[in-house]
Structures are given as C-alpha cells and as structure tokens.
C-alpha cells in the first residue's frame, strides 16, 4: 500500500484528492502521450470517471492493470527522468539553430525547389516512448534518401545479408551521393548512396517477380508504418515520383553501369529496379513520424509506441552500422567525428538520427549544404552532442567531455550525493575534497566581488552552500570577513586576485574529476544568480571559471538557463 500511496501523493492535491486532469498532467510531463498503448485501460477508465475528485480508493482501482507503467511514469523512472528539463534544453537548441538561413533547397524538381525553406521542426522519441515535438514536425515531405537504410534493412531481412552484400558493399564512399563511381569489383560502395540504394532496390525487386514496383513500395511503406508506430499515415507523392522519373538521367546512368558491370540480381528489369528506387524516395512522412522510426532503431527494432518487434535486432545493428559509415554521404567522416551517431539525411531536408538505447531524433529543414544534408539538421545534431554525452565515444571513461550532461541520470540526485560525499570526506580530512572545497569557496567569493560589492543575497547563498559542504553553519561573520579580505586584495591589485584564481584552477584542472569541476562551477553561479539576474561582470567571471576548468561553453549556458529557471520557479530559496 505504501508505494501506491506514494504514487497517489504525486497526483493528489491539498485535500487529498486526485483528478483526471492532474493524472493526465503528470503523464504528459513525463513525456508519455495520453494515447500510449501502455496506458489505454487507465485512460479509458479516467474518461468514464469524468472530472470529479478521485479518492485514494478509486485511484487504486483505477491504476491496477497498468501499475508498473504508471509507477515508472509518476516516479520519473523512464529512460529520461527529467523530461521537461530535457525538452527545455532541446527547445533552446532548436531556437538557436533557427537563425541559420544558409544553404539552399534542392532544386532539381519543382516540389523540392518550391518547398518553404523556413520550415523547421525537431521531433524526439525516447526508447520509452517519451515524445517531444518542436516546430514544423507535421509537414509531410518526401523522405528521399532517408528511405535508403530501411530499404537496406528490408532487403537483408528478406534476402539475407550475404546475398545483398554480394551486390552492394558496406564501405564508406567518400563520394557525393549521386556519384557514378563503384568499388573495383563493380559493386556500389554502400546502400546509403544512390548506386547502392538502386542496387538494393534491384535485389528487393528481383525477389518479388510477381509484384510491380509500386506494389513492392506498398510493402516497404507498411514497414515504415510499423516502424513509426502508425502515429500518422505513411503517404506516397505522385508528384514527386513523376518529377523524379523525368529528372533521373543520372540514376539511369548508374543503373546501366550496374547492369553492364556486375549485372543485376536475378536479371531483374532495369526499369522496375529504378522505379522501386524512385518510388521509395517519393514516400512522404513527417519529422514526427521519422522520430518514432528512429526510436525503433534506437530500441533494437522494437517500436516504443506499439511494443511490436518490427525488425530483428541483428538487422538493426547492421542498418545502424551502415548509417554510421555512410548515412551523411561524403561528410559521413566529419559527422562521425563531430556527432558520432548513425544518421541518414535526404534532399527534401530530413535528417533522422539514432542515439542507441536512448532516443530517435528527426529534424526537417529544407535548406541543404554542399553535401546535400540539411544545414539546420546537421547543426542541431552538432549542438546536441556538444551539450549531451551522446557521441559514441563520450562513453570513454576517465576522459574529459567538457562536463556534458547525461539526461539518463538524475542530475539533481547526483549533485546532492556529490555534495554530501564532499562533506563527509572533508570532515575526515581528505586532501582532494579539501582542495575542492577551497576552490569552491574561493570561486564563490570571487563572484560575490565581481561587481565590487558584497551583497546580502550572495552571502545567503554562500552560507547555504557552505552548510552543504561543511555540515555546519559558518561562524558569525566568517563569510563577510573572507569576502572583505578579498575585497581589500582587489583594491590593491585590481583583477590580479581573480587572474591568480583562474591560474590556480587551470593548474588544478587536470587533477579534478568532472564532478568536482562541475560542483565548483555550480557553486559559482548559484552566487551569480543570487539576486535573480546575472550581471555582465558575473557572466564574464563565470565564463572565465568555466574556461579554466575545461567546461564547454554550451554546457555553461545550458546550466545558467536551467538555474535561472529554477530560481524563477522557487524565489523563496533566496530567502533561505
Ligand atoms: N531522389 C534523389 C536522387 O535519387 C535522392 C537523393 C538524396 O536524397 N540524397 O537523386
């Protein structure tokens, strides 16, 4: 009963009653949609109950059938526990990237040339089915090359990887997507460039002698539909298909080259092969749908929205490997270096990115860079990975990631644990902990004096932090005395003391682990935010401290924004 009571308390009001609205609010705040299949019974019952108060007893009767899912939802036990916080961070990146208007729409066919270049949408779906949609996520657009990895997955599931690989390589090409160049044995480099995707379409087309290209496309559309959890209908654009056919000279050249070189699988008809390839490009979806498809890949082939195994994990593994090696064409190398995630772009402006075991991401923005990748899509991925530990090699232990965030862990709990560990170790004389404490206090005092004055709210925050790390209150006037001593120093030698502090931080930085450096910075901007705003001098000093501690600037900005939000939400903290 206790655990049920705890759950109930999360949604109950001051009178000890919950309501359908409060329950729904909590579910939505966790990132789970109200039409999630895992909560369908609960939702139905809630609907029947209406808007009246829900007592503890009716709550117990209500939640029984889907208890585990509700418990995870209410208790923030989903893969990204602090979903709202995470969404705020992603919105910030979205807004920042929106200012980038560089690049141009693809112009080889009217429908892409005339697409509104301002459209900008970001959709995320976690492997637990938490969903976020920002901006133009419901705009249908042709998926173009984003179709390629799925046609590949379809082909290997149907024909086996060996058969496919005898026709299509898995090597990065380093060439533009429409290049006519092939491997020395006349196989295309990989399934993510046109030549490889055309040959893959050939393998699939040859396996369905009785079906025409459009009927086979229908089968592939069914797979897309399952992959995206049927959140909306997968469409087909006749207009795109007609234009694609009219402008397919280069793709015809590739097809003839393939037929003349290696030969086509089972002697399949060249036009059928090309028609299948072009009609897969003409499938239309939205960023919202693609984010769920990407989440299914992130989740080893099980769609988080429906719970259905759509692809085998082995096929997903191969598909992601190919996306990693070649999904971004001839900038796949740089993308792997900077972003380190499997992704696939298309010339209509979509980028579908997979963070394995965590989430799928899809962006839509039609302006392309010189490689044919969406400018904003790539920029979003870059900024995302600058702030969060999503790059495959961010998992290296012992290294420095610039104190990036990991939304998987509950940061709040971790910070509290760190502070209590520090307190415990300081009280037993641990040298490392003592050093961290000293740097932490000095940085707080430096920020207090950033504008030359010692203000009371700053002393209050310093005292709070002092208690957290020392386990007892500072002596009467102790913090004032420390601050005044520094103030005198500054009066004598200007910015000298702050410069010396930065130098010491730089010297110590290599000996401090990520947690310690973060704690120091966090303490510093707790003080900077004491009066609700960060003054320019404080901002300058915070940046200096972050830089000296090798904490990346994006992370600092994110943290400042987060801290200010928290302050705004609970102004009483300032008063103690
Ligand atoms: N339809 C396009 C082509 O075949 C798809 C290419 C792409 O999205 N990069 O040229």
């Amino acid at each position: 009963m206790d655990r049920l009571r705890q759950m109930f308390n999360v949604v109950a009001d001051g009178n000890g009653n919950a309501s359908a609205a409060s329950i729904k609010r909590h579910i939505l705040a966790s990132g789970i949609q109200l039409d999630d299949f895992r909560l369908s019974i609960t939702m139905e019952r809630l609907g029947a109950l209406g808007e009246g108060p829900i007592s503890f007893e009716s709550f117990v009767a209500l939640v029984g059938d889907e208890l585990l899912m509700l418990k995870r939802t209410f208790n923030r036990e989903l893969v990204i526990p602090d979903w709202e916080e995470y969404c705020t961070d992603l919105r910030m990146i979205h807004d920042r990237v929106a200012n980038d208007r560089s690049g141009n729409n693809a112009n080889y066919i009217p429908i892409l040339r005339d697409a509104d270049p301002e459209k900008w949408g970001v959709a995320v779906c976690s492997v637990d089915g938490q969903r976020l949609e920002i901006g133009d996520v419901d705009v249908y657009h042709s998926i173009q090359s984003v179709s390629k990895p799925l046609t590949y997955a379809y082909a290997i599931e149907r024909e086996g990887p060996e058969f496919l690989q005898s026709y299509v390589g898995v090597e990065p090409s380093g060439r533009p997507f429409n290049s006519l160049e092939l491997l020395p044995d006349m196989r295309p480099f990989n399934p993510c460039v046109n030549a490889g995707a055309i040959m893959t379409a050939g393998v699939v087309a040859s396996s369905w002698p009785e079906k025409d290209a459009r009927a086979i496309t229908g089968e592939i559309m069914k797979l897309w539909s399952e992959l995206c959890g049927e959140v909306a209908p997968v469409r087909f654009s006749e207009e795109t298909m007609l234009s694609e056919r009219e402008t397919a000279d280069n793709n015809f050249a590739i097809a003839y080259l393939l037929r003349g070189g290696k030969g086509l699988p089972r002697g399949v008809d060249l036009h059928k092969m090309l028609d299948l390839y072009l009609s897969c490009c003409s499938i239309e979806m939205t960023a919202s749908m693609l984010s769920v498809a990407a989440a299914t890949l992130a989740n080893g082939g099980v769609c988080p929205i429906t719970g259905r195994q759509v692809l085998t994990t082995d096929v997903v593994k191969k598909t992601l490997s190919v996306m990693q090696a070649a999904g971004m064409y001839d900038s796949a190398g740089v993308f792997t270096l900077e972003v380190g995630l499997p992704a696939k772009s298309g010339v209509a402006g979509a980028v579908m990115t997979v963070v394995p075991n965590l989430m799928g991401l899809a962006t839509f923005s039609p302006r392309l860079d010189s490689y044919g990748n969406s400018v904003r899509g790539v920029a979003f991925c870059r900024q995302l990975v600058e702030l969060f530990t999503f790059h495959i090699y961010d998992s290296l232990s012992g290294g420095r990631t610039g104190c990036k965030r990991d939304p998987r862990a509950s940061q709040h709990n971790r910070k509290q644990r760190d502070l209590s560990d520090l307190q415990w170790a300081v009280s037993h004389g641990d040298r490392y902990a003592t050093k961290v404490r000293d740097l932490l206090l000095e940085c707080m005092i430096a920020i207090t004096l950033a504008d030359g004055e010692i203000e009371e709210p700053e002393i209050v925050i310093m005292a709070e932090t002092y208690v957290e790390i020392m386990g007892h209150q500072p002596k009467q006037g102790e913090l004032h005395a420390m601050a005044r001593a520094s103030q005198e120093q500054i009066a004598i030698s200007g910015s000298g003391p702050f410069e010396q502090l930065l130098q010491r931080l730089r010297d110590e930085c290599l000996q401090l682990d990520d947690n310690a450096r973060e704690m120091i910075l966090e303490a510093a901007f707790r003080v900077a935010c004491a009066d609700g705003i960060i003054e320019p001098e404080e901002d300058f000093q915070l940046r200096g401290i972050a830089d000296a501690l090798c904490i990346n600037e994006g992370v600092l900005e994110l943290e400042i924004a987060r801290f200010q939000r928290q302050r705004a939400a609970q102004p009483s903290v300032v008063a103690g």
Side-chain angles (χ1 to χ4, degrees):
M1 253 325 158
D2 260 348
R3 286 164 79 177
L4 268 169
R5 177 60 78 175
Q6 266 173 17
M7 273 176 68
F8 180 70
N9 289 343
V10 173
V11 286
D13 60 17
N15 302 326
N17 284 317
S19 66
S22 74
I23 292 174
K24 285 180 186 167
R25 221 177 19 253
H26 271 84
I27 293 171
L28 286 172
S30 76
I32 298 296
Q33 307 291 297
L34 297 179
D35 58 2
D36 193 290
F37 79 102
R38 293 162 296 185
L39 295 179
S40 56
I41 302 173
T42 310
M43 284 304 134
E44 205 172 296
R45 288 189 186 145
L46 274 183
L49 275 178
E51 285 310 312
I54 298 175
S55 66
F56 177 61
E57 289 68 31
S58 16
F59 179 78
V60 173
L62 179 79
V63 298
D65 290 85
E66 292 162 338
L67 187 60
L68 273 183
M69 181 61 194
L70 281 163
K71 170 184 161 282
R72 294 182 66 207
T73 307
F74 286 3
N75 296 0
R76 298 181 177 252
E77 290 164 0
L78 298 168
V79 66
I80 300 178
D82 203 339
W83 181 251
E84 285 175 309
E85 197 71 61
Y86 184 58
C87 293
T88 310
D89 296 340
L90 296 199
R91 281 196 192 94
M92 199 164 105
I93 308 180
H94 167 276
D95 295 351
R96 224 189 274 155
V97 170
N99 298 323
D100 193 339
R101 294 194 165 71
S102 59
N104 295 300
N105 284 23
N107 62 4
Y108 69 99
I109 55 175
I111 193 169
L112 297 184
R113 188 190 56 218
D114 300 339
D116 179 357
E118 283 305 321
K119 291 276 180 260
W120 173 221
V122 173
V124 169
C125 176
S126 82
V127 293
D128 274 338
Q130 298 161 284
R131 297 181 64 202
L132 167 68
E133 303 186 319
I134 316 169
D136 302 308
V137 293
D138 292 322
V139 178
Y140 273 91
H141 54 78
S142 54
I143 61 174
Q144 297 290 348
S145 282
V146 178
S147 65
K148 288 169 178 164
L150 193 74
T151 312
Y152 169 72
Y154 187 80
I156 51 176
E157 194 136 88
R158 219 176 137 73
E159 294 293 314
E162 294 78 19
F163 183 70
L164 187 78
Q165 216 167 309
S166 68
Y167 282 95
V168 185
V170 286
E171 303 302 333
S173 72
R175 308 275 184 282
F177 66 86
N178 51 5
S179 167
L180 272 65
E181 217 163 316
L182 301 173
L183 287 165
D185 62 5
M186 299 303 277
R187 286 179 311 150
F189 280 88
N190 63 67
C192 284
V193 291
N194 286 17
I198 292 171
M199 191 64 120
T200 306
V203 167
V204 174
S206 75
S207 76
W208 288 107
E210 72 285 11
K211 277 194 203 278
D212 66 12
R214 280 299 287 281
I216 303 173
T217 308
E219 297 296 328
I220 293 180
M221 286 167 71
K222 271 188 217 153
L223 182 58
W224 271 116
S225 185
E226 284 183 37
L227 209 65
C228 75
E230 282 150 31
V231 288
V234 175
R235 299 202 313 214
F236 184 83
S237 165
E238 297 293 349
E239 183 187 347
T240 305
M241 180 61 187
L242 283 176
S243 306
E244 287 287 345
R245 251 207 218 110
E246 273 170 25
T247 54
D249 289 342
N250 191 81
N251 290 325
F252 268 97
I254 291 174
Y256 280 108
L257 206 60
L258 294 176
R259 194 169 72 179
K262 172 100 188 135
L264 301 185
R266 304 181 184 109
V268 69
D269 177 64
L270 182 141
H271 289 91
K272 179 175 174 184
M273 170 175 82
L274 271 176
D275 257 13
L276 179 57
Y277 166 73
L278 295 172
S279 51
C280 285
C281 290
S282 309
I283 293 172
E284 283 193 333
M285 291 172 70
T286 66
S288 168
M289 297 162 79
L290 286 172
S291 72
V292 180
T296 303
L297 297 177
N299 200 28
V302 176
C303 176
I305 300 295
T306 59
R308 240 181 276 148
Q309 177 105 41
V310 182
L311 291 167
T312 67
T313 306
D314 190 51
V315 165
V316 172
K317 218 163 104 183
K318 291 189 166 67
T319 306
L320 293 178
S321 305
V322 163
M323 283 165 68
Q324 178 98 43
M328 303 302 272
Y329 317 119
D330 40 336
S331 78
V334 172
F335 194 82
T336 293
L337 200 82
E338 293 179 351
V339 178
L341 292 171
K344 187 73 204 84
S345 65
V347 285
V351 182
M352 176 176 89
T353 308
V354 175
V355 187
N357 297 317
L358 186 69
M359 65 175 218
L361 160 74
T363 57
F364 174 62
S365 169
R367 293 195 192 92
L368 308 179
D369 62 19
S370 59
Y371 303 103
N373 299 323
S374 163
V375 173
R376 284 176 177 157
V378 172
F380 188 90
C381 290
R382 276 213 194 100
Q383 295 201 20
L384 181 75
V385 167
E386 245 168 57
L387 300 181
F388 296 98
T389 52
F390 295 163
H391 189 290
I392 23 166
Y393 298 124
D394 278 339
S395 59
L396 290 173
S397 52
R400 287 287 159 80
T401 65
C403 290
K404 291 185 192 184
R405 297 285 166 261
D406 183 354
R408 278 167 270 232
S410 166
Q411 293 291 323
H412 185 64
N413 291 346
R414 218 208 61 213
K415 275 181 186 150
Q416 286 195 334
R417 197 184 59 227
D418 288 348
L419 274 170
S420 79
D421 274 2
L422 188 72
Q423 183 192 113
W424 171 74
V426 165
S427 71
H428 286 83
D430 181 277
R431 287 183 188 207
Y432 179 78
T434 310
K435 180 160 71 192
V436 174
R437 176 203 61 190
D438 291 346
L439 290 172
L440 208 144
L441 287 174
E442 283 179 58
C443 286
M444 288 200 297
I445 289 176
I447 296 288
T448 304
L449 295 170
D451 57 0
E453 284 166 37
I454 307 170
E455 280 150 11
E456 210 39 46
E458 295 172 334
I459 296 290
V460 171
I461 295 285
M462 268 180 36
E464 276 176 16
T465 314
Y466 186 99
V467 173
E468 281 181 85
I469 51 174
M470 305 295 278
H472 58 81
Q473 295 284 345
K475 285 194 221 81
Q476 181 73 29
E478 186 181 357
L479 293 174
H480 275 283
M482 284 164 82
R484 266 195 301 275
S486 291
Q487 202 173 26
E488 278 160 26
Q489 282 276 311
I490 293 170
I492 300 165
S493 48
S495 63
F498 184 63
E499 291 301 330
Q500 283 162 17
L501 172 61
L502 290 187
Q503 191 51 49
R504 205 157 54 255
L505 291 175
R506 269 183 225 114
D507 294 343
E508 301 286 5
C509 180
L510 283 176
Q511 270 87 53
L512 300 174
D513 66 13
D514 278 9
N515 292 354
R517 292 180 297 128
E518 265 184 70
M519 264 191 283
I520 296 171
L521 184 67
E522 157 108 16
F525 58 67
R526 277 191 191 188
V527 177
C529 296
D531 54 4
I533 45 160
I534 301 180
E535 310 286 349
E537 299 91 346
E538 292 169 334
D539 184 80
F540 174 78
Q541 293 207 350
L542 281 178
R543 281 171 206 280
I545 293 172
D547 181 65
L549 290 171
C550 304
I551 294 175
N552 101 32
E553 201 173 325
V555 170
L556 171 65
E557 269 162 25
L558 209 153
E559 201 62 19
I560 291 176
R562 185 174 298 180
F563 195 72
Q564 284 174 326
R565 278 200 306 280
Q566 281 167 0
R567 289 272 135 184
Q570 5 157 276
S572 57
V573 176
V574 177

